Amino acid sequence: ILRHRPQSRLTDTVVSSAVAALGSLLADAQRYPAWVIGSSGDDATEHLAHRLAHVGRFLDCLLGNENTMKAFTASDGHQLLRQLVSSPCLPYNLMCFPHGHPLQAVFRILSTFCGKDAQSVAEEMLVEATTQIVQARSAIASSSLLGMSDPIAVLRDVSHEQLDGFLRPLSKLCNT
């Protein structure tokens, strides 16, 4: 319905509801515990990754025209999405699945619409993530594990904090 209508109250209502839902998901994500490598059993995030897949499919349809895209970006919906996929409670490789996560299509649409703004945000994220990776690598290299030649053994034996400090920004590079 929204694809073939000009800007209207209906567009504003649907987009503001979608942005409010993203805000609610972000609030949920902030209260969940951090994701831990090798965690199994119950999902402490109440299946947040699956809920984000459904949100991605919905937004892929919703953001199909310029009016809804303008309303979404004016409401900072794109910023909420970026914060959501970077949440520590989600797996590092959430957006790197072989068949793609539905939010990847949404980010492609947003990057096309936002143009240079999206490009500058992506550049800032890349610089920040690269700096964090270099710092984390330095911390790992300065540890007593430096003499080990097997990188898998090094990663297995570092602390969870060091590993998280390395893998979290690395995943941001994939997500950007």
Side-chain angles (χ1 to χ4, degrees):
I1 293 174
L2 295 178
R3 283 187 187 204
H4 305 291
R5 290 185 177 264
Q7 183 73 24
S8 66
R9 267 190 17 213
L10 179 61
T11 300
D12 295 337
T13 302
V14 172
V15 170
S16 65
S17 295
V19 171
L22 289 174
S24 177
L25 285 172
L26 183 59
D28 287 348
Q30 291 170 340
R31 67 180 169 82
Y32 294 139
W35 183 79
V36 178
I37 294 174
S39 59
S40 61
D42 293 337
D43 182 359
T45 67
E46 302 171 320
H47 306 286
L48 180 62
H50 296 293
R51 290 186 283 159
L52 286 176
H54 295 294
V55 166
R57 289 182 193 97
F58 172 73
L59 289 175
D60 188 24
C61 293
L62 176 68
L63 302 177
N65 72 35
E66 191 172 341
N67 293 328
T68 56
M69 185 66 75
K70 281 181 183 177
F72 186 76
T73 55
S75 301
D76 288 333
H78 59 299
Q79 296 295 344
L80 291 172
L81 271 179
R82 190 173 63 80
Q83 291 173 26
L84 265 169
V85 298
S86 300
S87 295
C89 67
L90 293 170
Y92 301 115
N93 62 347
L94 175 69
M95 299 291 285
C96 301
F97 293 128
H99 299 293
H101 193 281
L103 283 175
Q104 288 176 335
V106 174
F107 282 114
R108 274 193 293 274
I109 293 168
L110 285 168
S111 67
T112 302
F113 178 78
C114 296
K116 289 186 178 186
D117 292 338
Q119 195 173 23
S120 65
V121 168
E123 287 171 4
E124 289 173 19
M125 289 173 62
L126 289 172
V127 168
E128 177 186 337
T130 305
T131 303
Q132 291 172 349
I133 290 169
V134 169
Q135 290 171 346
R137 185 194 166 284
S138 296
I140 291 171
S142 67
S143 71
S144 60
L145 304 169
L146 186 60
M148 294 182 159
S149 60
D150 182 10
I152 300 300
V154 171
L155 291 176
R156 184 180 53 237
D157 293 338
V158 298
S159 71
H160 175 71
E161 291 77 23
Q162 287 177 317
L163 190 58
D164 187 68
F166 179 73
L167 291 177
R168 185 70 54 192
L170 189 61
S171 73
K172 285 183 182 178
L173 287 177
C174 293
N175 296 342
T176 305

